Amino acid sequence: MMQAFRLATFNLENLDWSGTKPEAFARRTDALRPLLETLDADILCLQEIHAQRRHKHDARQYIALDRLLATTRYANFHRATTIRPGGDAPADVHNLAILSRWPMRAQRQIHHDIVARWVWPPPRDADGSQPEPVEIAWDRPLLYAAVELPNGCALHVVNLHLRAPRAIPIATARGFGSSRAQIEGQFVAALKREGQALEARLFAETLFDADPQAQIAIVGDFNADAHDAPTRLLRGGGDEAAEGDRALIALEERVAPSRRFTVRHAGRPTLIDHLLASRSLAANWRETTILNEGLQDEVYAEEPVEGSLHAPVCARFELVAK
């Protein structure tokens, strides 16, 4: 019988827990666990995991994640998670996790390790005044793990959640709500999103430098579709059909067009959660599934959201002898 493994990505949509609201958490887990079980993943990348404190002055922990996974096949998986950059505990919101059936040779988070922070000076206002410079820094780290596959090969996994294309508050002479502030804020958001995509892609380049045949997967919520700059950067530059030995292949695009979406936005199906693979990994690809049946529209969904407003993406690969 052919051996196979399954790699999946899933944005859990602000997974949180509160000891004062057990019923709300139970409704979320009742909606999320069936999806997690259906994925049947051997390696699972998760986004939007909040961290909680048991007591007011305690360090934050992954209480919600632990409770979600406790009764699933993933409970005893090897785990890599992010911490707040510069700290020693998770951030309050939007952390990342990689869960693996098999051990990890290495794991690390990447946050301006390759692409430095920089400062953008906004143009002068109409009155001639110079607005304060804006620091361009990523909202959260990237997460990397090298998984030891059963055949002895390494699978290099980069899990990311790029910034959403929403304007960042920028102060101008006319205030934060002016059209100019919105325009400049949208530009800064794009700098953050595309800059972090650049860092992820340059990290992949270091993996290719070490091994031109490296099996690499860059997965997660790109907040960008196939034609947007972040996805094109991550695939290897050029257009969405980038070629070359180091180009990454979008395995989510191998799903039938009618099912090729991970979010519904104002009635429009969009594909912003991706699973990109190096050529050596894609050569062993067998199937991609997007579990988007019954997905709610993120614009019209009522709070609190049960389950997630993102659909998980899962790819199955043949596990070939080394």
Side-chain angles (χ1 to χ4, degrees):
M1 181 178 179
M2 181 182 69
Q3 283 189 299
F5 71 92
R6 295 166 66 85
L7 169 66
T9 179
F10 191 14
N11 183 323
L12 293 176
E13 196 74 44
N14 298 312
L15 179 71
D16 205 357
W17 170 86
S18 170
T20 63
K21 300 177 181 178
E23 297 84 2
F25 186 73
R27 287 193 295 271
R28 291 222 63 198
T29 56
D30 286 347
L32 289 171
R33 282 180 184 143
L35 281 172
L36 293 174
E37 293 294 342
T38 300
L39 285 173
D40 191 21
D42 298 291
I43 303 167
L44 177 60
C45 298
L46 302 172
Q47 303 90 40
E48 289 200 25
I49 306 165
H50 294 0
Q52 301 78 32
R53 293 188 175 99
R54 292 190 182 279
H55 304 287
K56 184 177 180 181
H57 299 293
D58 286 354
R60 292 187 180 275
Q61 306 173 54
Y62 285 112
I63 298 173
L65 181 63
D66 290 342
R67 289 174 177 252
L68 171 66
L69 301 178
T71 59
T72 72
R73 67 182 68 242
Y74 309 102
N76 297 314
F77 273 31
H78 300 272
R79 185 187 299 187
T81 53
T82 50
I83 60 173
R84 182 186 295 278
D88 56 6
D92 54 345
V93 299
H94 288 193
N95 296 285
L96 305 172
I98 300 174
L99 311 175
S100 172
R101 182 183 302 279
W102 304 297
M104 299 176 184
R105 294 182 183 178
Q107 56 179 278
R108 61 178 285 200
Q109 69 179 38
I110 301 161
H111 190 260
H112 292 291
D113 293 56
I114 301 173
V115 178
R117 299 167 185 254
W118 75 95
V119 172
W120 176 67
R124 290 185 178 276
D125 279 321
D127 63 1
S129 61
Q130 178 64 59
E132 289 293 319
V134 179
E135 183 182 51
I136 308 301
W138 320 149
D139 294 350
R140 46 194 163 260
L142 311 169
L143 183 61
Y144 163 74
V147 175
E148 179 83 35
L149 296 176
N151 62 0
C153 295
L155 175 61
H156 301 279
V157 181
V158 179
N159 182 12
L160 55 76
H161 180 193
L162 300 181
R163 183 183 174 83
R166 290 193 289 268
I168 291 171
I170 300 292
T172 69
R174 297 181 182 179
F176 286 101
S178 69
S179 60
R180 174 168 175 155
Q182 288 294 310
I183 293 165
E184 292 183 357
Q186 190 72 54
F187 174 70
V188 171
L191 291 178
K192 288 173 173 274
R193 185 175 57 145
E194 293 171 26
Q196 193 171 30
L198 172 64
E199 180 156 69
R201 177 64 213 198
L202 293 180
F203 177 70
E205 289 292 307
T206 68
L207 299 175
F208 280 124
D209 289 342
D211 177 7
Q213 299 303 313
Q215 296 189 91
I216 302 171
I218 299 182
V219 310
D221 179 359
F222 295 7
N223 272 306
D225 68 22
H227 304 283
D228 287 337
T231 310
R232 293 167 67 176
L233 273 169
L234 288 163
R235 292 193 63 172
D239 60 22
E240 60 274 14
E243 298 180 353
D245 292 341
R246 295 189 174 194
L248 299 183
I249 298 167
L251 300 181
E252 70 282 358
E253 293 183 8
R254 296 181 174 182
V255 174
S258 62
R259 301 300 301 271
R260 196 182 300 162
F261 64 93
T262 59
V263 168
R264 290 187 183 276
H265 183 88
R268 181 170 61 91
T270 61
L271 183 64
I272 63 173
D273 301 87
H274 301 270
L275 204 162
L276 308 182
S278 62
R279 293 194 179 279
S280 59
L281 177 60
N284 300 321
W285 170 87
R286 294 297 175 265
E287 180 184 32
T288 303
T289 306
I290 302 177
L291 302 181
N292 50 24
E293 190 72 33
L295 189 66
Q296 297 181 74
D297 192 303
E298 65 177 0
V299 173
Y300 307 121
E302 295 183 3
E303 296 287 345
V305 173
E306 295 181 11
S308 177
L309 297 175
H310 290 250
V313 183
C314 184
R316 180 170 60 86
F317 302 89
E318 182 180 355
L319 189 61
V320 298
K322 186 174 180 180

